[in-house]
Amino acid sequence: MNNIGWQNPFSGIFHVIGLWAASGRADAARVAVGTERLRDWGVEVVVPQLPGEPRRYLAAADEVRLAHLHELLGNRRVEAILAVRGGFGVTRLLDDIDWDAVRQRNLPAIGYSDFTGFLLAAWKQGCQRLVHGPMLCPDLSRKPLTPEEAAGAQAAMQSLTACLRGDERLLPLSASPIVLRPGQARGPLVPANLSLLTALLGTAHWPELDGCILVLEDVNEAAHRVDRMLTQLRSAGVLRRLAGLAFGQFTAGEDSEYLPEVLVDFADAVPGPVLADLPFGHVAHTISLPVGALATIDTAAAPASRLQRG
């Protein structure tokens, strides 16, 4: 496979990665492309051996997807878990996951979208090596057709590497986040998909967000649905207990022209600073963010330094 323009984000960090199809059905051809890319980088790929067939819109039945996670956790050679794709289904598993095993291995887990449900639940369970970042599909299975697409994919891989290595900088130099509410804040960073975060409200897997810096994104959600979910968080008292808030990208939704107004409506619900337009979400050049790491927002800083680790 031609990997020109791609940097191996796992170089010198992980040599053996387990693939977990925790959510929706994945296209077999895209899985093959992503898996081949990992192997071309010299990464050994571990796939659970227990057979499983797709069920409706799920990668496999709940009990099979659970068994796949526990199989990967039991494999002492696996150094990290990479989500195969998002979609839907991980929240169906959370009640039955062996969280003792998850805590004991404390494996880095990487993914976003529907995988947010696992990341947030694992963070609540005390896991600290979690990354809201690229998945096998669509990210590692992309075939850039233009120099611009290749540059975007490369930037996403560089951000993942920086995140895994614990670099202080979280935003690329080209980033220019918008300030919706000025100020300074410091607290645990919680990157999340808005739909999955609100889906955990009222469950045993809801993470403690008091004093946190929340970073939100979503895809295929109309402006009024984003409004509804943010209203739910405000009514539940979540927003007023945050240290800070940042909005990433809300892509492919209806009435997107209203989104800037919607986000402004909720800025005053947060006592600390609020940013918007971070390069974070369901976009090819998304940045990776560490779940639970201490971070700061300083709206007086230069644009690319407004969100930093530490």
Side-chain angles (χ1 to χ4, degrees), residues 179-203:
V179 176
L180 299 186
R181 181 179 172 88
Q184 296 178 326
R186 184 172 188 263
L189 188 68
V190 184
N193 175 271
L194 176 59
S195 299
L196 268 293
L197 180 69
T198 54
L200 295 183
L201 265 174
T203 73

Side-chain angles (χ1 to χ4, degrees), residues 221-224 250-262:
E221 296 291 354
H224 72 270
F250 293 82
T251 50
E254 296 177 7
D255 300 327
S256 59
E257 67 271 23
Y258 300 126
L259 272 171
E261 295 178 44
V262 170

Side-chain angles (χ1 to χ4, degrees), residues 93-232:
L93 310 180
L94 299 181
D95 289 345
D96 297 312
I97 287 175
D98 183 349
W99 290 109
D100 286 337
V102 174
R103 280 192 301 271
Q104 288 168 10
R105 285 302 310 275
N106 194 27
L107 289 175
I110 306 164
Y112 66 104
S113 194
D114 192 65
F115 199 67
T116 296
F118 176 79
L119 294 176
L120 295 178
W123 181 55
K124 178 174 183 177
Q125 291 288 333
C127 298
Q128 299 295 322
R129 306 170 68 193
L130 308 165
V131 175
H132 190 290
M135 299 181 287
L136 190 75
C137 304
D139 307 285
L140 270 65
S141 64
R142 295 189 193 280
K143 293 183 177 180
L145 300 177
T146 67
E148 292 75 18
E149 290 178 358
Q154 174 73 343
M157 296 302 105
Q158 290 172 341
S159 176
L160 177 57
T161 298
C163 185
L164 291 171
R165 293 190 182 280
D167 289 6
E168 178 183 283
R169 181 178 295 280
L170 295 174
L171 300 179
L173 292 174
S174 59
S176 297
I178 299 168
V179 176
L180 299 186
R181 181 179 172 88
Q184 296 178 326
R186 184 172 188 263
L189 188 68
V190 184
N193 175 271
L194 176 59
S195 299
L196 268 293
L197 180 69
T198 54
L200 295 183
L201 265 174
T203 73
H205 311 291
W206 173 258
E208 177 55 63
L209 296 181
D210 290 11
C212 291
I213 295 174
L214 185 62
V215 189
L216 296 172
E217 63 83 29
D218 219 319
V219 65
N220 296 327
E221 296 291 354
H224 72 270
R225 288 180 55 83
V226 173
D227 193 328
R228 179 186 298 145
M229 288 184 281
L230 290 173
T231 298
Q232 185 178 2

Side-chain angles (χ1 to χ4, degrees), residues 179 182-185 213 273 275 296-303 305-308:
V179 176
Q184 296 178 326
I213 295 174
L275 301 175
T296 59
I297 289 181
D298 184 354
T299 62
S305 297
R306 286 175 181 162
L307 179 66
Q308 297 268 27

